[in-house]
Amino acid sequence: MTDLAHIRNFSIVAHIDHGKSTLADRLIQSTGGVTAREFRDQMLDSMDIERERGITIKAQTVRLHYTARDGKTYILNLMDTPGHVDFSYEVSRSLSACEGAILLVDASQGVEAQTLANAYLAIDAGLEIVPVLNKIDLPSADPDRVKREIEEVIGLDAANSILVSAKTGEGIADVLEALVTRLPPPAGDATLPLKALLVDSWYDAYLGVVALVRVKDGVLKRGMRVRMMSTGAVHEIESTGVFAPKPTNVDELGPGEIGFVTASIKKVADCKVGDTITEDRRPAAEALPGFRPSLPVVFCGLFPMDAADYGRLRESLEKLSLNDASFAFEAETSAALGFGYRCGFLGLLHLEIIQERLRREFNLDLITTAPSVIYRIQMTDGALEELHNPADMPDPARIAAIEEPWIKATILVPAAHLGGVLGLCTDRRGEQVELTFSGDRAMAIYRLPLNEVVYDFHDRLKSVSRGYASFDYQMDGYRAGKLVKLQIMVNAEPVDALATIVPEERAYQRGRQMCGRLKDLIPRQLFMIPIQAAIGGRIIARESISAMRKDVTAKCYGGDISRKRKLLDRQKEGKKKMRQFGKVEIPQTAFLEALKFDED
């Protein structure tokens, strides 16, 4: 068993695209974790979608062996974490398994919104933080300015920051030495009853559920019968191992070590992330604190293109939710789309990634309904209801007030682009809380309705700031607002998949936009199709798709007009009857297209 004094568990936290995965690559190479032939860029980004987009989605772990300058050999357990705001839950999970963190900051761009958010996550978790300035090989690098920013914006002492270039490998030896000398070793006792934190889990077709664990006390070994403390499920450990970075089996995992276990766990529900694993025969007295479950903030419906795929969609969602504890789903039905699932996500990127993974990993074609947030409805009888789907909104006569979720957003932007950013926040019903300057960069703190952010706020922010603004947010409670349900009707039938909740003052504009979009997207029929936007019983916008006409008078050459009139009247009667009984098929591509709004 490894001596605790020779183990270091640490995470790399940073803003998106500041070089976390590249630094992890250099650390793996420097410690000889892989041979030159096995090495590839972004070693720890295992999913194709991560490599294509150049972002980390899942936190990954690797065990490295490092011989320090004092001649002792240390085990370094590295956890690479995502930088995007939608995956901050992955960051908090990783931090709970570590004693220290490298705070990585780009030496040219400086402190960004997620740098700030992730630094505070690490400080709250009680971790020792080592500031590292990356990309010092760039001509625009200004380490002195960035050190000042770390001290002014985050409040950390940056005097002994380490300067590195993860791309060229400069300064990597100093980082490794700092990990050994500046980070504390883990605490734990091998003689106490087993206590291991379940940090992550995923599904393997051959092994069943694979669990990533951090052992706090006791020893985890093959053949041991263990119990999940929250579910009470008992399993026998089949194998224990570590990622080095390839999966390597080991005899046992002792205190302070991070590794994986398999136990032929078939059911996804038996392996809850944040649970405590203990020995069945000699259980621990109490569970570890775990971590707060993440609450989804954006909801949308996922429906299979082919109704026969419904069962396969359920299995796929179960396997994905095992790997991604922040993703929630429940069954729902829609008159327009049939059977599907209402799914909860941490943000729009999270939604996009889940959709893409379902398509790639499980070969499913899906229709996605309009993203919506959770509204709270205060009824006239005093009851409080949560509304996940706008189509389920109760009768307005029974509603006393509708509350919508608000967020507190932190936006860091160069002063030159501040005007456009403030204009965008004001357009989205934002309220300014604070505006401060550090050098030529501004930090704006705004309160915004979450509903205004989930559609395309991030894209608009990047375009008004030429890509320089960075954005992070946290939930800031609920507030009552003048909100109405906008219902779209096609041929006098409501389409529940297109129902949305909008501020009253914007309902007319949104209704006009939606009707205009649908007019272009729905194919013509043999009868006229009215498309209407309504609030309650009041129609606020309308477009009509004209009918395809057959020239019934083509065979009449000259002669009396009354003969032509008789034929046209008979056609009109037929069209009237057809409109009454005819069904309009809305193409599946129309659902998402109709919801894309242009900024007017």
Side-chain angles (χ1 to χ4, degrees), residues 1 40 56 87 269 338 392 408 499:
M1 197 181 298
R40 59 175 187 171
T56 301
F87 305 113
D392 301 334
K408 195 173 178 184

Side-chain angles (χ1 to χ4, degrees), residues 4 8 45 61 94 100 110 112 146 149 151 187 206 249 261 294 317 332 338 397 404 407 415 463 480 504 518 565 598:
L4 280 173
R8 298 290 183 272
D45 289 349
T61 179
S94 304
E112 300 276 12
V146 176
E149 271 184 28
E151 289 176 353
Y206 302 105
N249 282 355
V261 295
S294 69
L317 291 175
E332 75 163 353
E404 62 178 333
I407 61 167
S463 46
E504 196 172 19
L518 285 170
R565 175 63 45 216
D598 300 319

Side-chain angles (χ1 to χ4, degrees), residues 171-488:
I172 298 298
D174 296 334
V175 174
L176 288 165
E177 201 57 32
L179 291 171
V180 170
T181 54
R182 286 162 63 176
L183 297 189
D189 188 342
T191 60
L192 290 176
L194 173 67
K195 246 191 211 180
L197 178 69
L198 209 159
V199 181
D200 198 2
S201 57
W202 57 95
Y203 194 82
D204 185 283
Y206 302 105
L207 303 170
V209 177
V210 182
L212 182 71
V213 296
R214 155 71 203 268
V215 181
K216 299 278 187 183
D217 289 319
V219 178
L220 195 56
K221 56 177 111 174
R222 193 176 162 186
M224 181 186 272
R225 285 181 69 75
V226 294
R227 187 194 306 162
M228 307 288 178
M229 287 186 84
S230 74
T231 60
V234 177
H235 301 282
E236 187 173 318
I237 299 292
E238 287 190 343
S239 66
T240 55
V242 295
F243 292 100
K246 289 188 295 188
T248 309
N249 282 355
V250 294
D251 295 333
E252 60 183 32
L253 293 171
E257 294 193 289
I258 298 173
F260 66 86
V261 295
T262 62
S264 289
I265 303 170
K266 300 287 189 298
K267 280 168 66 186
V268 166
D270 284 352
C271 227
K272 286 188 177 157
V273 168
D275 199 353
T276 302
I277 299 174
T278 189
E279 194 176 354
D280 185 37
R281 211 181 45 188
R282 193 169 68 118
E286 57 184 30
L288 292 161
F291 21 81
R292 208 173 56 241
S294 69
L295 299 171
V297 293
V298 177
F299 283 81
C300 82
L302 292 181
F303 295 85
M305 287 264 195
D306 181 355
D309 286 339
Y310 178 74
R312 207 151 62 84
L313 174 61
R314 188 188 65 242
E315 286 172 25
S316 309
L317 291 175
E318 281 178 356
K319 286 176 183 171
L320 269 190
S321 68
L322 169 76
N323 187 223
D324 187 346
S326 51
F327 164 62
F329 64 94
E330 58 183 33
E332 75 163 353
T333 55
S334 154
L337 301 169
F339 292 99
Y341 285 91
R342 189 99 194 138
C343 303
F345 308 92
L346 297 180
L348 279 196
L349 178 68
H350 191 204
L351 184 159
E352 216 179 298
I353 296 294
I354 291 281
Q355 209 181 339
E356 185 70 5
R357 286 184 69 185
L358 285 167
R359 189 179 68 78
R360 289 184 186 205
E361 296 173 27
F362 303 100
N363 204 21
L364 285 164
D365 284 325
L366 301 170
I367 309 158
T368 313
T369 63
S372 115
V373 297
I374 306 174
Y375 295 92
R376 278 191 197 154
I377 299 182
Q378 290 182 357
M379 311 300 280
T380 47
D381 61 0
L384 186 71
E385 290 185 8
E386 281 196 346
L387 180 70
H388 291 225
N389 188 348
D392 301 334
M393 190 159 165
D395 177 11
R398 293 172 46 224
I399 296 173
I402 303 176
E403 296 181 349
E404 62 178 333
W406 281 61
I407 61 167
K408 195 173 178 184
T410 306
I411 302 167
L412 280 114
V413 60
H417 301 295
L418 182 62
V421 170
L422 298 186
L424 173 67
C425 292
T426 309
D427 287 347
R428 297 298 174 95
R429 299 189 285 144
E431 298 170 0
Q432 193 180 111
V433 177
E434 198 182 319
L435 182 61
T436 53
F437 288 86
S438 172
D440 64 339
R441 285 159 60 81
M443 183 166 85
I445 297 177
Y446 262 83
R447 283 199 178 90
L448 289 153
L450 181 61
N451 196 28
E452 298 285 345
V453 175
V454 297
Y455 281 99
D456 57 354
F457 181 82
H458 201 261
D459 298 344
R460 296 285 309 156
L461 181 69
K462 288 293 181 191
S463 46
V464 297
S465 67
R466 305 287 188 274
Y468 285 110
S470 63
F471 167 71
D472 177 63
Y473 69 85
Q474 68 238 28
M475 300 307 291
D476 193 42
Y478 277 75
R479 275 200 228 174
K482 282 192 170 181
L483 302 164
V484 291
K485 175 185 168 185
L486 182 68
Q487 182 74 64
I488 300 294

